[in-house]
Amino acid sequence: MVVQHTEHEFILSFFEVRPPIFLGPDEEQKEKAAQLKSIKAECVARVIVASERMSDFVKVLQDNLSKYKTKSSQQE
């Protein structure tokens, strides 16, 4: 995820990375991985939030995370 902002808005970009599949013995896989120059990340979603609404957006996320953690700890 990448978060950027301008004077009037926040831009949240979400990316998906598809790592390459390496076959063969472990050492051969490590060598192939070491030779990689880059891995492509594709933007799969972009959310733009007005700067005056960002605090509300963060609060909603925090509230939901708190509820999730409470529910998750009760199930253990």
Side-chain angles (χ1 to χ4, degrees):
M1 181 173 96
V2 174
V3 179
Q4 300 168 299
H5 61 86
T6 67
E7 184 179 338
H8 302 289
E9 61 196 14
F10 283 80
I11 304 153
L12 294 82
S13 301
F14 297 86
F15 293 84
E16 179 177 77
V17 177
R18 295 187 185 146
I21 297 173
F22 299 119
L23 302 175
D26 286 346
E27 283 303 314
E28 190 176 312
Q29 291 181 35
K30 288 178 186 178
E31 288 175 24
K32 289 178 183 177
Q35 293 173 2
L36 280 178
K37 294 182 181 176
S38 65
I39 296 176
K40 184 177 179 180
E42 180 181 348
C43 184
V44 293
R46 185 164 283 137
V47 178
I48 300 173
V49 181
S51 58
E52 61 270 5
R53 301 292 297 170
M54 191 59 172
S55 293
D56 295 334
F57 186 80
V58 170
K59 184 180 182 319
V60 168
L61 290 173
Q62 288 175 327
D63 290 346
N64 276 274
L65 178 60
S66 178
K67 289 175 187 176
Y68 170 80
K69 285 181 176 181
T70 300
K71 185 178 178 180
S72 180
S73 66
Q74 289 173 352
Q75 292 176 352
E76 293 177 355

